[in-house]
Each structure stands twice: as structure tokens, then as C-alpha cells.
Amino acid sequence: MSTSPSLSLRPRPRRRFIAAAVAVALTAGTLAALAPVNSASAASYPSWSDVEKAKASKSAQQAKVTQIKGLIADLTAKASAAQKSAEAAGTAYQTAQTKYDDATLTQKKLQSQADDAEKTATASEAQAGQLAAQLGRASANDVTTDILTHPTKSGDLLYELGAMSKLSEQADGIYAQASQDRGVAQGLADKADRAKEALGDLADQAQQKMQAAQTAADQAQSSVDAQADNKERLEAQLTLLTTSEQNVEARYNKGVQVEKARLARIAAAAAKAAATSQGGTGGGSPNSSGWVRPTGGYQTSPFGYRLDPYTKNYALHAGVDLAPACYAPIYAAASGTVTFAANGGGYGNEVVLDNGGGISTAYGHIVDGGTLVSVGQHVTAGQQIAKVGSTGWSTGCHLHFETRVNGSAVDPVPFMAARGISV
């Protein structure tokens, strides 16, 4: 699990460089990178006609420049604040999920110990019962009477009496051990029960944090959309106000179309390159169990506790890492419904699917702009849902893949193997 957590938003790969390029491109007479025009801009945003009219008066022109600069600053600030809020919500979700996963494994360990202790206690009690039966049979013979009535056999009988005394002492010890073993078993069982009860609250907390992260991501998406739809147009209007450039609006609209076509070509080329360099296979038609491999590449980190390469802390790795190539396609391992598509803290950009029957799958470290699905969407096994990246706690491009049963993380290797898929 590299880079700091970043917001999972619907694909808009042009965002990063558009704003910086607009003013320069307009001044140079070409438009290299622009966002689409929003025909339904809010009334508070100036129109091209407003800007043209403002140029007729120097004071009006200066007022319009101040207004536009303020609007741009406000858009930038709101988008940045929204993304930080989404990142914080994602981190809170990841923390809650990790806490639940740790508690689940602890509860399973306690239950296993309780089961072993129960077997030991049962065996101790059985041994004590056997000794009780043996003592019962021995006591049926009155040793003292035998000594008085058969004095010539007194040596043998005294030996028998001594043996019974030793047996009785041994029985006392075994009874004590059986009682102790039963107490240990009961104590561990009680701990396991309490841990299991606590799991419900932890699971609810993780679910609530996940929903909060999704809400924060959706709100951030709205802010970023507003920025993308309005900021570049405002900067173009600012150029019209502050320079002698002509036909700025026409060049702006043309640039939008050129940039969309260019980005489409880049995306197609990246997808093709990723598909030919995966180092393995993924996706395709589902097998008879209805499952597919979620991506290509080789496994680089297994399920279980490990020294996290990013945080340098010993922590649970609740899935497996598969490393094909940056931008390689990520496929739905099985049909299901998207329940999460947002920032997941250390998971980076993440998608979670409800695959039915208490089973869910999660896909982490998706590249910025590489989330191809949205919450509530139904996807089929083998359908591409995202692209491999290195967001969140990651040291290189890979897919962090999780499988969960009733919310609890299970090792994806045997889980997928049971469904005919090798990861």
C-alpha cells in the first residue's frame, strides 16, 4: 500500500493541467488544454456579453476583473477544501475498517483458543471421571475388615490401602486440574463472546465511516465539477478583459473540442499499452462459478500481518497485491453492485462491490481519474471498473484486492481458488 490519499472522482484527467495552461494558451493564440463550457452557469458568473460590455468603461472593466479574480479564488478554495474533507473522511473510513479487521482476527484467535481449552477441559473431566469410577470399585472392598479377618494377608492388604491412598491423592490433583481447565475454557469463551459482541459495533462504525466518505467524495465531486466547468471560462474572460486578444470566446470553444479529442487519444493509447504489458491475465468471460481474475500481473504481497512498506508499521494486510502495470484495467471479480467509489484513506481511490450472499470485493489504489463506475451501479463479472494506480499508501502501481465474507476479510488466495481462480 504510495503517495498520500487522493480523492476518487469520476474520470476528468484534464483537471490537473488545464487551469495553468489556459491563460498562456489564450495569449499565444492557441488553446492547448481547456475544460468544457457549462451552458447552465450560475447567474452569479459573468457572461461573455457582460465582459464585452465591461470593456467599454475603464472603471467597469476593473470592477469586472476584480469580480472574476474573486470568483476564481473562491472556486479554487472550495474545491481544495472539499478534497481535503474527502481525504479526511476516507482516512477515517480506512481506520475504522482496519480496527474492525484487527478485532475480527483477534476474536477468531480467542475463539480458537477457547475451542482448544474446551477440548482440554473435557478430556480432564473424563480422566477425573474414570478415576472416580476406579475409586468407587476399590471402595466396594472393606480393606480394614480384610486385615482383621485375614491377618496373614495383611502385607498385601496394607499395600492395597497405600495404593488407594495414592490413587485418591492423584484423583484430587486430576479433579483440581479439570476444574482449572474448565475455568480457563470458560474464561476464554467469555472473552470470545465479548469480542464477538464488540464486532457488531465496530462493523457499524466502519459502515458509517464508509458512507460518510462517499458523501464527502460526492460533495467534493460537485466542487471540482464547478471548478472545472467555470474556472477556465472565467480565466478566458479575464484574458479578454486584460489583453487586446480578439475572438477569445471562439478560440476557447474550439480548444475545448480539441482537448477532448486529444485526451481520448491518450486514454486509448494508455489502455492499449497497459493491456500488452500486464505480465498475466485478468478479466475475460467468467468461469462456471461466475468469477474472473480482477487484473493481470503477479502477486507481490500476500494476506496477513506484515511490516507495511509504506508506513513501516507491523499491521494487517487485509488483501493481496497484484502488480500488472500502471493504468492496467481492473475488472469486477464477480457480478455485483457498487457500494463505494471514493477515497479510502490508505486504500487510495477505492471501489467496493456487493457481490451478494454476504460476499464483497474491494479494489484499492486506483489511479486518479481511473474510477469508471459509480455507487448504485450494477456491474458484471469481467467488466472493467477502474485502472491500476498508486494512490493512498502505495509504493508503486498495483491493485490491492480484498475478499470479505459478512464483512470479515478473508485471504483472497484460497477464497478465489475455491472458485476456480488463481491469484
Side-chain angles (χ1 to χ4, degrees):
M1 288 173 72
S2 24
T3 69
S4 59
S6 50
L7 185 64
S8 174
L9 301 173
R10 285 174 282 279
R12 283 186 183 274
R14 60 182 175 276
R15 288 193 197 107
R16 289 184 171 181
F17 51 84
I18 288 178
V22 170
V24 175
L26 284 170
T27 303
T30 57
L31 215 46
L34 292 174
V37 178
N38 181 0
S39 59
S41 298
S44 58
Y45 292 105
S47 66
W48 287 99
S49 177
D50 292 336
V51 173
E52 291 283 2
K53 291 176 182 177
K55 292 193 72 171
S57 165
K58 189 172 183 179
S59 60
Q61 181 177 357
Q62 185 56 49
K64 191 61 67 177
V65 167
T66 300
Q67 178 196 5
I68 290 176
K69 286 183 176 179
L71 288 169
I72 291 173
D74 184 59
L75 280 170
T76 302
K78 285 181 177 178
S80 177
Q83 290 194 44
K84 287 180 180 179
S85 177
E87 289 172 5
T91 298
Y93 151 59
Q94 179 219 357
T95 300
Q97 184 67 74
T98 300
K99 188 175 181 180
Y100 170 75
D101 289 340
D102 284 335
T104 299
L105 290 186
T106 298
Q107 191 275 331
K108 288 181 178 178
K109 184 177 180 180
L110 281 171
Q111 188 61 60
S112 177
Q113 292 173 343
D115 292 342
D116 290 341
E118 173 66 26
K119 292 177 183 177
T120 300
T122 300
S124 296
E125 289 167 348
Q127 186 178 8
Q130 290 170 357
L131 278 172
Q134 187 174 348
L135 283 170
R137 288 193 298 271
S139 64
N141 300 318
D142 190 330
V143 178
T144 303
T145 301
D146 283 348
I147 291 175
L148 294 174
T149 56
H150 303 90
T152 56
K153 296 181 179 180
S154 59
D156 293 338
L157 294 171
L158 286 172
Y159 174 80
E160 183 180 348
L161 187 59
M164 286 182 61
S165 177
K166 289 291 185 182
L167 189 61
S168 180
E169 290 177 8
Q170 184 180 0
D172 288 342
I174 291 175
Y175 273 116
Q177 184 62 49
S179 178
Q180 181 178 337
D181 289 342
R182 173 55 60 194
V184 170
Q186 188 60 54
L188 286 170
D190 291 342
K191 283 185 178 179
D193 287 342
R194 288 195 297 271
K196 190 171 185 178
E197 290 175 2
L199 286 179
D201 292 336
L202 291 173
D204 290 343
Q205 291 173 20
Q207 185 63 33
Q208 290 167 6
K209 295 294 185 183
M210 174 188 276
Q211 292 172 351
Q214 186 65 59
T215 299
D218 291 341
Q219 292 172 347
Q221 179 69 59
S222 297
S223 293
V224 172
D225 283 346
Q227 184 188 39
D229 290 343
N230 293 300
K231 183 179 177 182
E232 287 73 38
R233 178 168 55 82
L234 289 170
E235 288 180 335
Q237 291 175 337
L238 195 58
T239 298
L240 182 60
L241 282 168
T242 57
T243 70
S244 58
E245 287 287 323
Q246 302 294 318
N247 302 318
V248 175
E249 181 182 2
R251 291 204 312 278
Y252 171 83
N253 291 330
K254 181 179 179 181
V256 168
Q257 300 306 316
V258 171
E259 177 62 10
K260 287 173 67 175
R262 187 181 74 84
L263 290 172
R265 290 195 299 272
I266 291 175
K272 182 177 180 181
T276 58
S277 62
Q278 291 182 61
T281 59
S285 300
N287 63 11
S288 58
S289 297
W291 289 75
V292 303
R293 201 173 196 268
T295 194
Y298 302 99
Q299 184 185 144
T300 57
S301 186
F303 177 93
Y305 280 92
R306 64 171 186 175
L307 184 65
D308 191 289
Y310 184 83
T311 65
K312 308 303 181 185
N313 294 324
Y314 190 69
L316 173 66
H317 186 233
V320 295
D321 292 342
L322 300 174
C326 294
Y327 301 102
I330 298 172
Y331 307 100
S335 298
T337 302
V338 180
T339 57
F340 185 78
N343 176 273
Y347 292 115
N349 301 326
E350 182 186 29
V351 168
V352 178
L353 302 181
D354 179 354
N355 304 105
I359 295 173
S360 63
T361 48
Y363 313 76
H365 304 313
I366 296 167
V367 68
D368 285 331
T371 300
L372 309 180
V373 293
S374 57
V375 171
Q377 180 178 343
H378 179 77
V379 298
T380 57
Q383 176 180 336
Q384 184 176 356
I385 58 174
K387 298 177 184 178
V388 170
S390 186
T391 54
W393 293 353
S394 171
T395 55
C397 287
H398 70 279
L399 166 66
H400 174 78
F401 177 61
E402 292 184 358
T403 51
R404 293 179 177 273
V405 178
N406 296 323
S408 298
V410 297
D411 189 340
V413 174
F415 177 90
M416 295 294 283
R419 290 155 180 79
I421 302 296
S422 172
V423 293

